[in-house]
Amino acid sequence: SYKRMPRRLPRSPGREHRSEAWLARDTGLPLSVLQQSLAFFKKHVPEYDGQNLFDVKFDMKNFTKVLCEMAGVDSVDQLDRRFVSEAFRQADFDKNGGIDCVEFVMWFSAFGFSQYFCVTKEDLPQRDLARKLGVDYIELERYKQAFDKYDEDGSGAIDIEEFECLLHDLLKVPSGQTLSAERIGALWRDADRER
C-alpha cells in the first residue's frame, strides 16, 4: 500500500523569495526531514549548481538513483518495478515528467520512511526472494520467523516433524485437529522440490 501525496503543494512565492526557509515554513515539515530530503535532491540532480535549487528537476533515471541509495541497493533491478513506477508517479505531482525540489520534498516526507527504505543490508536477500516469489516482503518475513522458530538447531533446514508443526502454526490449525498425513506429505514434497 502506498501513501497518498498531499492534494496541494506549497504555494510558490515570487522567484526572489523562494528559499529553503520558505519551503520549511510552507510545508510545515520538521527541519531535519527537509534537510535530509534536500540533501538527496541536491546530490542527484546533475544540473544543480548551488544557486538554482528551485529551477532544476529529477528525471526518472536520477530519481531511481535516489531510490537505490535510500533503499541501500546497488541497482534498480533489486527494487520492485511497481514500487519504482508508483513512487515516480506519486512524486511527479504536476505530471510534467520531472520532479522539482518541492515535489521531491513532499514525496520524501510521505514515503521516505516506508518499508522499502527501512530495510537493512542483512534483509536485502529476503526482499529479493520475496520479489522473485511474488509475495509481500512482510509476509515472507512472517514465514521466515515461523521457520526459524522450528529450526531448533539453526541449521537452515527442518525435518518433516518440524515441518508439520510449522504448517499447524502458519495455517492456524485449531488445537485438537490435525492435517492429514497425505496433505503434509504433499506439502513436504512441494517444499523440498523448491530447493
Side-chain angles (χ1 to χ4, degrees), residues 112-167:
F113 305 99
S114 75
Q115 70 178 16
Y116 290 96
F117 304 126
C118 297
V119 176
T120 65
K121 290 267 189 204
E122 294 78 31
D123 292 335
L124 287 175
Q126 279 183 245
R127 185 167 60 185
D128 288 341
L129 179 60
R131 192 180 76 252
K132 287 176 189 168
L133 295 174
V135 298
D136 184 70
Y137 172 74
I138 302 300
E139 193 69 11
L140 182 68
E141 179 63 24
R142 187 176 136 250
Y143 297 146
K144 171 90 169 88
Q145 288 174 352
F147 181 91
D148 290 345
K149 176 180 171 184
Y150 293 102
D151 179 19
E152 294 178 0
D153 64 358
S155 66
I158 57 176
D159 61 32
I160 195 160
E161 290 81 19
E162 293 167 322
F163 182 71
E164 182 176 355
C165 293
L166 173 69
L167 287 175

Side-chain angles (χ1 to χ4, degrees), residues 24-163:
R25 215 176 22 258
D26 206 53
T27 60
L29 294 174
L31 188 57
S32 61
V33 172
L34 179 75
Q35 290 171 334
Q36 190 178 11
S37 64
L38 288 176
F40 277 114
F41 186 82
K42 292 172 183 178
K43 178 178 179 181
H44 290 283
V45 176
E47 297 82 18
Y48 176 65
D49 65 9
Q51 303 289 319
N52 62 348
L53 180 64
F54 293 93
D55 300 321
V56 293
K57 296 182 178 203
F58 280 129
D59 58 14
M60 182 64 158
K61 180 181 175 185
N62 291 326
F63 186 66
T64 58
K65 289 179 184 177
V66 172
L67 294 178
C68 288
E69 183 174 335
M70 289 175 67
V73 298
D74 299 319
S75 164
V76 72
D77 296 331
Q78 293 174 281
L79 297 173
D80 183 290
R81 285 192 176 121
R82 291 171 301 195
F83 170 72
V84 173
S85 62
E86 181 65 12
F88 188 83
R89 189 185 72 72
Q90 290 281 334
D92 185 13
F93 195 82
D94 60 11
K95 309 299 179 225
N96 67 0
I99 302 167
D100 63 33
C101 79
V102 175
E103 290 172 315
F104 182 73
V105 165
M106 297 305 292
W107 175 85
F108 184 89
S109 70
F111 289 88
F113 305 99
S114 75
Q115 70 178 16
Y116 290 96
F117 304 126
C118 297
V119 176
T120 65
K121 290 267 189 204
E122 294 78 31
D123 292 335
L124 287 175
Q126 279 183 245
R127 185 167 60 185
D128 288 341
L129 179 60
R131 192 180 76 252
K132 287 176 189 168
L133 295 174
V135 298
D136 184 70
Y137 172 74
I138 302 300
E139 193 69 11
L140 182 68
E141 179 63 24
R142 187 176 136 250
Y143 297 146
K144 171 90 169 88
Q145 288 174 352
F147 181 91
D148 290 345
K149 176 180 171 184
Y150 293 102
D151 179 19
E152 294 178 0
D153 64 358
S155 66
I158 57 176
D159 61 32
I160 195 160
E161 290 81 19
E162 293 167 322
F163 182 71

